[in-house]
Structure formats: C-alpha cells, structure tokens
C-alpha cells in the first residue's frame, strides 16, 4: 500500500514541491519518469499533472493528496481537504487596470469588462464589494486583453508586478493572497491517513525550521538574565561558561520576523561574537 501524491509536472510549483519532499527525507529516483514515480525510502508514489487538474484528481481519489496553489483550490471549489499551507508559490490574485487611468476605488469597476481565468473568485469578490461588472473568462494571456481592447481591466496572478508593468497595467485590488498548499482526499482509509500524518509531521518540522535561526553569542554574566528574556528560545537558552572569567556563551533560537530588532537589542545589552546559523529541521 502506497500513498499517491499529485505534483505539478512542470511550472512554478515543480521545483519547490520536489524540494519540500526531499527536505522531508523522501528520496526520489535520480531520473524522474514523466508521469509516475516511486519514492525510494517512503511508501509514496508521485504523480505529475497539470496544476489545474490536481484538485479533481484528489477529489476522485486518483491521487490521495496533492500540492497545488490556493488560487486553484478555491477557484475549483472541489470537495477536498486543505491540510496545510507550504510557504512557497506565493502570489496574489489581483485586479489590474491600465496605468494611465486613475483608480478611484471598487466603484471604478462598475459596468467594466474584466478578463480573467478565475471567474469564480472574481465573481465572489465583486459580489462582496457589491460591484456589477462583466466577466470575460479566458484561459491564458490575460495581461494583453486591455491593450487589444478586449477588456477594461484584468484579474490575474501577480508576484513581483513586472508582467503587469510591462503590459502597461497597475494593480488596483487584491482578490486573494495565495501560496502552495497540501490537499487531501476526504475519504482516505486509516492506513493512508497514518502516512499523511507522518508526512505532515515532517512538513511542519521543515516549515518551522525555515522561520527560525539558531543563535550563539557571548554575554557578560551579569547580563544573562536580561538577554535570556530577549531570546527565550524553545524552552530556555543553554548557557555554557567561557574560559574568560565573567563571560558565558548563550545558545538559543530566534524568529526571523523580528530578527534585526532582536540583534540590535542584544548588542545594546553587551552581547558579543554573535553567530547565526540556519536550522535544518525543528521538532518542538
Ligand atoms: P500548468 O501547465 O501546470 O497548468 P500553469 O501555467 O497553469 O501550469 P504556473 O504558471 O506554473 O501554472 O503557476 C503555477 C502556480 O504557481 C499558480 O497557480 C500559482 O499558485 C503559483 N504562482 C506563484 N507566483 C505566480 C505568478 N507570478 N504567476 C502565476 N502563478 C504564480
Ligand atoms: Mg495551470
């Protein structure tokens, strides 16, 4: 019995999907087959598909779980379970308008023609905002529709905004913030659920480790208490006496969100020789 995971066969999610499996200790064959592959050291089969098809394959049970963008998950509205976000493939589904027009708020969109590959999510947004607009569903090259006169605005995925810029557009509204997520079929048997749990545990350890850094520093002994309150770590920091009288080495973990503020504060309180290292896995 093997768990079957659906992964995008090529495109923006491909590399990071395989990377997260690798970081979970799952080894894949060196030469990957185009459709189906078996992991070497975990009961897992990897099925490569177009990202749009992944929610349906997971709902139908052709794959047990899958990695796909939330934008696709919510647009398709399939009867599946979202298990966890994965921290990559980050983008926004946004409404953009020609750069030479001034945006006055959602009312600007009233009675406008908006081109998109995401008609469901766009309609939901327009309904919430009580805006009536005409949705033109197209499957690709959405960003050129305003310049060829097919639409007045577009609703498409954006990350850096450079594609919008080079097509003379500017972002006006964010409809959805999205990232890749792990989804699951809702009726997995107990054995498969156990494997999913095992995989999720590893994914969470990998995700957590990306948010934290390991930190080592030297502190004067009379500052240990203050510094421990700045970097309390997982339980509490480790303290090792230095051979230099009156000094200790302190080891802890810090969250990257507040990283630079913490470093400044440590320096203000007399910390020296601060070393910061990445963490590979973090199990709390
Ligand atoms: P497929 O051939 O599998 O259908 P695709 O062309 O639909 O591929 P990609 O462009 O590879 O899809 O994007 C896959 C996913 O990557 C998107 O659905 C989205 O979740 C995410 N993504 C992240 N940044 C962006 C971006 N700037 N533009 C488009 N998608 C992005
Ligand atoms: Mg696609």
């Amino acid at each position: 019995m093997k768990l079957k995971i659906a992964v995008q066969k090529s495109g923006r999610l491909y590399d990071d999907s395989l990377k997260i499996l690798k970081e979970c200790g799952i080894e894949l064959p060196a030469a990957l087959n185009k459709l189906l592959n078996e992991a070497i050291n975990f009961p897992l089969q990897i099925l490569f598909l177009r990202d749009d098809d992944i929610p349906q394959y997971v709902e139908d049970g052709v794959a047990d779980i899958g990695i796909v963008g939330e934008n696709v998950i919510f647009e398709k509205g399939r009867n599946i379970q979202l298990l966890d976000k994965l921290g990559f493939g980050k983008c926004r589904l946004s409404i953009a308008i020609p750069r030479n027009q001034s945006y006055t708020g959602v009312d600007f969109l009233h009675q406008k023609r908006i081109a998109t590959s995401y008609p469901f999510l766009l309609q939901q947004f327009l309904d919430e905002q009580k805006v009536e607009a005409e949705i033109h569903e197209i499957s690709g090259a959405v960003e050129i529709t305003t310049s060829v006169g097919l639409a007045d605005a577009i609703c498409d995925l954006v990350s850096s905004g450079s594609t919008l810029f080079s097509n003379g557009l500017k972002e006006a509204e964010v409809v959805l913030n999205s990232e890749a997520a792990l989804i699951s079929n809702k009726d997995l048997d107990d054995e498969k659920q156990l494997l999913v749990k095992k995989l999720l545990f590893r994914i969470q350890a990998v995700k957590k480790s990306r948010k934290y850094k390991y930190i080592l520093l030297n502190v004067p002994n009379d500052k240990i208490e203050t510094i421990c309150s700045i970097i309390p770590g997982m339980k509490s920091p480790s303290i090792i006496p230095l051979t230099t009288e009156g000094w200790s080495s302190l080891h802890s973990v810090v969250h990257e969100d507040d990283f630079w503020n913490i470093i400044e504060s440590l320096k203000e309180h007399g910390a020296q020789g601060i070393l910061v290292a990445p963490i590979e896995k973090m199990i709390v």
Side-chain angles (χ1 to χ4, degrees), residues 4-14 17 35 46-74 76-81 86 88 180-186:
K4 211 180 264 185
I5 186 170
V7 167
Q8 191 190 21
K9 77 166 179 275
S10 66
R12 293 176 198 261
L13 301 180
Y14 175 83
S17 300
L35 188 62
I46 297 104
L47 188 62
F48 289 117
L49 298 170
R50 282 200 58 192
D51 69 342
D52 315 66
D53 298 333
I54 292 176
Q56 185 178 353
Y57 275 62
V58 170
E59 181 185 77
D60 296 345
V62 177
D64 302 309
I65 55 175
I67 297 178
V68 65
E70 289 176 296
N71 51 309
V72 174
I73 300 170
F74 299 139
K76 302 280 178 192
R78 294 278 166 185
N79 189 23
I80 47 174
Q81 202 182 344
L86 300 175
F88 61 84
L182 187 70
I183 55 171
S184 163
N185 177 280
K186 282 189 167 170

Side-chain angles (χ1 to χ4, degrees), residues 21-159:
L21 292 177
K22 193 169 169 218
E23 286 172 336
C24 286
I26 294 168
E27 212 182 313
L28 303 180
L32 287 174
N33 185 296
K34 281 208 170 71
L35 188 62
L36 188 68
N37 291 274
E38 309 253 338
I40 291 160
N41 56 355
F42 195 89
L44 186 73
Q45 288 182 318
I46 297 104
L47 188 62
F48 289 117
L49 298 170
R50 282 200 58 192
D51 69 342
D52 315 66
D53 298 333
I54 292 176
Q56 185 178 353
Y57 275 62
V58 170
E59 181 185 77
D60 296 345
V62 177
D64 302 309
I65 55 175
I67 297 178
V68 65
E70 289 176 296
N71 51 309
V72 174
I73 300 170
F74 299 139
E75 176 65 27
K76 302 280 178 192
R78 294 278 166 185
N79 189 23
I80 47 174
Q81 202 182 344
L82 197 159
L83 296 176
D84 203 0
K85 298 185 186 200
L86 300 175
F88 61 84
K90 288 191 179 172
C91 57
R92 324 180 273 290
L93 180 65
S94 289
I95 296 174
I97 64 165
R99 215 163 46 236
N100 57 12
Q101 300 207 11
S102 55
Y103 187 67
T104 48
V106 279
D107 287 345
F108 174 95
L109 302 168
H110 200 63
Q111 304 299 349
K112 294 278 198 306
R113 297 163 303 163
I114 312 175
T116 190
S117 311
Y118 293 87
F120 175 78
L121 288 171
L122 176 57
Q123 188 63 61
Q124 201 177 43
F125 174 82
L126 294 172
D127 289 347
E128 273 165 19
Q129 302 292 328
K130 300 192 171 41
V131 171
E132 275 185 36
E134 207 181 298
I135 298 179
H136 282 250
E137 184 180 351
I138 59 168
S139 59
V142 173
E143 65 281 1
I144 62 157
T145 53
T146 56
S147 55
V148 296
L150 228 147
D152 307 304
I154 67 160
C155 175
D156 203 6
L157 297 176
V158 183
S159 44

